[in-house]
Amino acid sequence: MRLGSSQQCGHAGFTPLAEAAGTRGVSCSLASPTSATRQRRYGELMKKSAITTGLVLTTGLAVVLSGCTNAGNDKNAGADENTYSTEEVNDGTTDIVVITNPGDGKTLTMAKDSFGIIEETDGDTTLAFKDMNGNGELDAWEDWRLTPEERAADLAPQLSADQVSGLMLFSSHERAPGDGLTEAQEEYLSDSHLRNVLYAGGNEIEPVVVWTNEMQAFVESLAADDAPYIPVNFSSDPRHDAADSYAGASDGVSQWPASLGMAATFDADTVRKFGEIAAQEYRALGLANALSPQIDLATDPRWLRLSSTFGEDVDLASDMAAAYVEGFQSTFDENGENLGWGADSVTTVIKHFPGDGVGEGGRESHTDVGKYGVLPGGNIDDHLAPFLAALDSGGLMMSYSILLDGEGEPAFGEAMGSAYDDVRVGILREDHDYDGVIVTDWGVTSGGETDPDALIGTSWGADELTVAERHFEILKAGVDQFGGNNDIVPVQEAYELWEADYAADELSQTAEDRWAESGRRILTNLFGVGLYDSAYQDLDNAEALVGNDDFRAAGLEAQHDSVVVLKNTDGTIPENAEAEDLQDMTVYIPRSFDTGHEGLFGPDPYSEGETIDVEAAEHYFGEVITDEAELNDDDEVISYTAPDLSDVDLVLVGMDNPNNGGTFSAAGQDDETGEFYPFSLQYRPYTADGDNVRKTSIGGDTLEDGSKENRSYFGNTSRISNEADLDAFERAVAAVEDSGKDIPVITILSLSGGAVIPTEFEEDSDAIAVGFGVSDAAFLDVVLGLNESAGRLPITLPKDMDSVEGSLEDVADTTPYVDSEGNSYEFGFGLGAGGQPIE
């Protein structure tokens, strides 16, 4: 729910560079060679069949570049089916050469005037390879017929320490400037050798494709004899959630439920299909790495990042995690056969190991307030399980948290963040032979006593170390990359620290070997998704592929399947309704506001408007009416007045989960007084003074006098910024009573954070539906009976705050709410056709 404001040329014309021995033929160049010298409950409930969309996935389009052939250049001129052909294309900024190899050979792309071509004959067939180091020889890492592992093993030892140090960097949040690379971007690509770029902008296709192509061409120009070529690996946080700002209503990627909504389908095939589609859209935009899925187990219903998980059940979350990874990392041939990693694949980064959903009191570990995760139930095995089920992932991200047991002692190793802990990393590397890329979460080497001016600093437990020492300790633990770091200098300093300790016999491995080890892992992923063969995207193809009708239809179907109907009194939500039956109806939608919370980047904007998108509602109904609002000079609400409902047929009330704050709001502690306060799952103020409230916190800093800080919030009161949502509901109910009519009230509850306690609105609702990151239109399709409800709760909605306080952060053990009709809102509950529980 959102508030209203809220050229081809034949190879015979190339210039010969060198004769190759054996079967190698002629090395050719398109230009001067100088530029080329660079079961528990889930098991009982998992009965729903897989979705069928009738969708045929389009494969290989991300690298074909077939839509922008220059006039006068006829493809395959001067060539036949036994030899390669070339073509020059342009995206408006970058001139790109496309090399099409015969048969099953790889399609290659590169910027014009960058690399030469090496020919190799195999019987009557002539194949082309890019001469990426300009030596006229076909080196193993240039040979697309070899495995990614073989190519990476060949190239990694050839990289300089600075190049590998650059590969260890993972950029801060970057955006496509629209008018060429920025000076800062060119600087970190050239001076810091950075190649892993986190794209955090929108889904506007043309500027993204042009920008990613331009950056790829720029790094090709940096390749040199002493600096072998490394392409840019563009990454993204999730961008397909229908209720998220990344996913536009048009001209963007297809729109799907949030991860918790995916879990609500109880269908791993839905997640797998999503991964296959989302990967194609990512690759068409130039993105080859997904900083997802977030597979922390959601055992504490207060946790602010609940909607990004696959829920509270270990078996369901594990199945969903594995399906997500498989879907994203697959490439299919024209017959639909899964070839594994390839040109359509996107590597995934499962996060946040070993599970970050156990912040004490539900607090979030992006800020100091939530840096302590706790395991009072000793339930680490369940939190590890989704990660172990998804270790096919090419990457993994560590959590921020200092993880403590129920007595406040370190659960593993030392009282430091996960990236610093060789014991936690050792679970992956040693116990489970994980050889993928491990990256820190963003900013874990920043802040603290030695870096006080950092905007975002999460060096939990390593505050007294220098920035270089933090990099050193993380590398010693076995981690490969540093999230949010654009600067090579501290990694270079860590190299010197490593060499010094090796010389003093304190380390058994040389810095050169340790750096090459991470370099090999990182390069394996780049080779695996084909970036060394084709790093460029075709703009025409991207515009046709991203957000196409088939992809959007599949996403909308998943949204429908994820909506959970909790209550449906006397068939308020009808079966098999027809859209034309709604056209004569008048509907009332109340207004509400959210005052927001302070955060690291300033205060959240004040938002006000209808609780359900009116434009979406007007597609269904003849008339939509709402409250009259009295505003002050700052456009903030003074009062609302409900309209006369005499002619109203239906009331629709949208409600967001109680807003405790966001990831970067430092929610849970008063900034001025330092006093801690509780998160709440109810709208009205909650004072944490019950018997189950922890009077002495498990986690806390060691103070100057040697005592331990107490982070308990006992006796303090919650701070919900959208209490007005409940006011809107009560105003609507009062307006119905004043009308003297029996007007049905449907509550549409959107969960983007912690769960809710329905007691404040359930009894007066004739029907209730819950969604997780779905659009208002998808919600309306279900609650109006146009699409059958199919979703089931992936989390328990608790009975009350006393039950929440009595539960353990690492165990899904809250008592479920039981509604006025006797239904228990526990994991797996949902109503289907006719208001009957889904079995």
Side-chain angles (χ1 to χ4, degrees):
M1 214 61 51
R2 289 291 180 263
L3 298 178
S5 61
S6 330
Q7 301 187 115
Q8 161 143 208
C9 48
H11 71 276
F14 294 170
T15 305
L17 290 179
E19 289 288 334
T23 59
R24 292 194 179 98
V26 179
S27 176
C28 305
S29 175
L30 294 174
S32 169
T34 56
S35 63
T37 58
R38 11 227 202 259
Q39 239 16 258
R40 291 192 313 174
R41 288 175 288 168
Y42 166 65
E44 302 171 358
L45 293 164
M46 188 66 172
K47 298 177 181 177
K48 183 169 179 277
S49 62
I51 65 165
T52 55
T53 64
L55 181 64
V56 178
L57 296 179
T58 308
T59 61
L61 290 176
V63 295
V64 170
L65 291 157
S66 61
C68 48
T69 305
N70 286 354
N73 290 329
D74 298 326
K75 189 170 183 177
N76 294 321
D80 58 39
E81 62 182 11
N82 292 323
T83 190
Y84 67 91
S85 63
T86 67
E87 181 180 9
E88 289 184 17
V89 299
N90 182 278
D91 65 5
T93 297
T94 303
D95 292 318
I96 303 165
V97 176
V98 185
I99 305 165
T100 303
N101 274 297
D104 295 330
K106 291 285 182 70
T107 297
L108 312 177
T109 62
M110 59 188 181
K112 186 179 180 181
D113 300 338
S114 59
F115 304 129
I117 296 177
I118 294 173
E119 291 182 1
E120 182 163 312
T121 58
D122 183 3
D124 295 332
T125 302
T126 302
L127 303 175
F129 303 83
K130 293 191 290 187
D131 187 11
M132 291 178 279
N133 59 8
N135 67 356
E137 298 277 337
L138 181 59
D139 297 295
W141 65 277
E142 298 170 324
D143 190 343
W144 44 258
R145 296 168 300 185
L146 300 181
T147 68
E149 291 78 10
E150 291 170 325
R151 298 175 74 179
D154 179 59
L155 179 58
Q158 301 180 45
L159 301 183
S160 67
D162 281 353
Q163 281 190 289
V164 179
S165 295
L167 275 178
M168 290 175 172
L169 303 176
F170 212 130
S171 83
S172 56
H173 294 65
E174 297 291 315
R175 286 165 175 79
D179 56 355
L181 303 182
T182 67
E183 183 177 338
Q185 289 167 351
E186 291 186 348
E187 181 177 347
Y188 65 57
L189 291 169
S190 55
D191 296 352
S192 286
H193 302 277
L194 186 150
R195 291 296 183 271
N196 301 283
V197 175
L198 171 55
Y199 174 61
N203 291 315
E204 301 85 0
I205 297 170
E206 181 174 0
V208 179
V209 171
V210 171
W211 178 66
T212 57
N213 282 347
E214 184 179 13
M215 192 175 284
Q216 297 292 4
F218 181 78
V219 298
E220 285 185 6
S221 73
L222 299 176
D225 291 338
D226 59 349
Y229 164 64
I230 304 173
V232 177
N233 189 15
F234 290 99
S235 301
S236 175
D237 284 312
R239 57 179 52 246
H240 282 78
D241 294 5
D244 187 271
S245 59
Y246 272 140
S250 62
D251 299 325
V253 296
S254 55
Q255 298 176 58
W256 298 70
S259 290
L260 198 57
M262 295 286 192
T265 69
F266 275 64
D267 183 10
D269 284 342
T270 295
V271 179
R272 188 176 295 105
K273 181 69 69 178
F274 161 70
E276 295 167 5
I277 289 174
Q280 292 182 73
E281 294 182 314
Y282 271 38
R283 291 307 297 265
L285 292 169
L287 312 174
N289 186 58
L291 290 176
S292 57
Q294 181 184 322
I295 56 177
D296 309 287
L297 205 60
T299 48
D300 191 323
R302 296 168 293 190
W303 193 39
L304 300 180
R305 302 188 72 181
L306 206 71
S307 70
S308 298
T309 74
F310 288 125
E312 69 180 41
D313 185 82
V314 60
D315 295 321
L316 175 61
S318 297
D319 281 358
M320 295 289 177
Y324 191 110
V325 168
E326 180 185 352
F328 264 89
Q329 294 185 170
S330 294
T331 288
F332 297 86
D333 64 16
E334 62 275 11
N335 298 316
E337 180 181 352
N338 191 344
L339 305 177
W341 284 34
D344 291 337
S345 301
V346 170
T347 50
T348 54
V349 178
I350 53 178
K351 59 186 185 182
H352 308 84
F353 188 85
D356 210 25
V358 295
E360 187 167 15
R363 298 168 187 149
E364 169 50 42
S365 61
H366 275 76
T367 63
D368 179 89
V369 180
K371 68 181 177 183
Y372 291 105
V374 294
L375 298 168
N379 191 31
I380 187 60
D381 288 346
D382 276 4
H383 289 266
L384 288 173
F387 293 93
L388 303 184
L391 283 184
D392 287 339
S393 177
L396 178 147
M397 185 184 295
M398 302 300 290
S399 70
Y400 285 124
S401 299
I402 297 173
L403 199 57
L404 306 176
D405 64 19
E407 303 302 317
E409 298 298 322
F412 301 96
E414 300 182 54
M416 303 181 78
S418 293
Y420 293 93
D421 187 356
D422 61 352
V423 177
R424 273 174 272 185
V425 177
I427 294 172
L428 296 164
R429 295 290 194 214
E430 298 168 17
D431 297 349
H432 295 281
D433 297 321
Y434 182 67
D435 198 36
V437 176
I438 301 180
V439 59
T440 73
D441 210 331
W442 265 231
V444 302
T445 60
S446 303
E449 297 177 12
T450 60
D451 187 26
D453 297 327
L455 176 61
I456 299 176
T458 53
S459 55
W460 311 142
D463 292 353
E464 297 179 359
L465 300 179
T466 68
V467 174
E469 288 170 339
R470 293 170 190 167
H471 286 76
F472 177 46
E473 293 298 327
I474 288 170
L475 287 167
K476 284 200 298 181
V479 175
D480 301 300
Q481 291 182 313
F482 305 98
N485 187 354
N486 293 10
D487 184 8
I488 196 175
V489 172
V491 189
Q492 293 171 321
E493 293 172 345
Y495 190 96
E496 298 301 321
L497 291 171
W498 193 291
E499 283 289 83
D501 272 18
Y502 175 76
D505 291 329
E506 295 183 15
L507 290 171
S508 61
Q509 186 180 30
T510 67
E512 181 180 11
D513 287 347
R514 174 64 186 88
W515 261 240
E517 186 177 81
S518 284
R520 174 189 56 78
R521 293 186 185 118
I522 299 166
L523 289 172
T524 297
N525 284 358
L526 271 62
F527 281 114
V529 296
L531 287 177
Y532 267 91
D533 303 318
S534 181
Y536 294 89
Q537 307 306 314
D538 170 49
L539 181 57
D540 288 349
N541 170 67
E543 290 177 333
L545 179 73
V546 175
N548 68 46
D549 290 344
D550 285 341
F551 289 0
R552 286 184 178 274
L556 181 58
E557 181 174 4
Q559 289 185 61
H560 290 151
D561 287 349
S562 73
V563 174
V564 183
V565 173
L566 296 177
K567 185 177 182 181
N568 186 13
T569 303
D570 297 330
T572 299
I573 299 175
E575 293 185 69
N576 303 316
E578 298 292 338
E580 54 265 28
D581 296 336
L582 305 171
Q583 294 301 306
D584 294 330
M585 293 179 65
T586 298
V587 172
Y588 164 51
I589 297 174
R591 299 169 74 97
S592 183
F593 63 90
D594 189 328
T595 59
H597 293 265
E598 291 287 338
L600 291 179
F601 308 108
D604 292 338
Y606 183 99
S607 58
E608 188 280 333
E610 294 83 4
T611 60
I612 297 172
D613 183 69
V614 169
E615 185 176 351
E618 287 175 340
H619 285 285
Y620 298 86
F621 305 110
E623 184 177 3
V624 178
I625 63 174
T626 187
D627 299 317
E628 179 182 332
E630 182 182 358
L631 307 178
N632 63 21
D633 292 341
D634 295 324
D635 290 330
E636 297 177 348
V637 175
I638 297 173
S639 66
Y640 288 125
T641 302
D644 180 3
L645 304 191
S646 298
D647 296 324
V648 167
D649 302 293
L650 178 65
V651 174
L652 293 172
V653 183
M655 302 176 74
D656 289 329
N657 52 268
N659 186 356
N660 287 281
T663 303
F664 293 102
S665 63
Q669 184 180 28
D670 187 283
D671 187 51
E672 295 182 359
T673 68
E675 191 174 62
F676 289 86
Y677 60 86
F679 291 165
S680 177
L681 304 182
Q682 64 187 44
Y683 295 92
R684 299 301 183 212
Y686 160 67
T687 299
D689 55 6
D691 292 341
N692 288 327
V693 178
R694 197 175 285 147
K695 295 181 176 63
T696 301
S697 63
I698 295 174
D701 295 343
T702 299
L703 304 178
E704 291 184 2
D705 63 3
S707 64
K708 181 180 176 181
E709 173 193 31
N710 185 7
R711 296 187 166 209
S712 171
Y713 48 75
F714 180 81
N716 295 330
T717 302
S718 62
R719 304 183 181 186
I720 302 299
S721 62
N722 64 332
E723 185 180 349
D725 280 13
L726 185 56
D727 294 336
F729 176 84
E730 292 179 348
R731 186 168 58 254
V733 171
V736 170
E737 292 176 352
D738 290 344
S739 74
K741 296 177 58 180
D742 185 17
I743 307 172
V745 176
I746 298 179
T747 302
I748 296 178
L749 179 62
S750 179
L751 292 190
S752 59
V756 297
I757 294 168
T759 184
E760 295 170 300
F761 57 85
E762 179 270 315
E763 191 169 352
D764 289 326
S765 300
D766 294 291
I768 302 173
V770 182
F772 312 90
V774 302
S775 67
D776 284 2
F779 254 132
L780 291 172
D781 285 342
V782 174
V783 301
L784 298 177
L786 301 175
N787 281 85
E788 183 177 322
S789 56
R792 289 180 282 174
L793 285 175
I795 53 172
T796 297
L797 300 188
K799 172 185 176 182
D800 51 31
M801 284 305 299
D802 188 61
S803 168
V804 174
E805 297 288 6
S807 67
L808 303 175
E809 284 90 341
D810 59 328
V811 181
D813 59 350
T814 54
T815 303
Y817 177 81
V818 178
D819 70 15
S820 57
E821 299 189 349
N823 292 314
S824 178
Y825 293 176
E826 61 192 7
F827 171 82
F829 174 73
L831 299 178
Q836 297 302 309
I838 301 172
E839 298 294 338

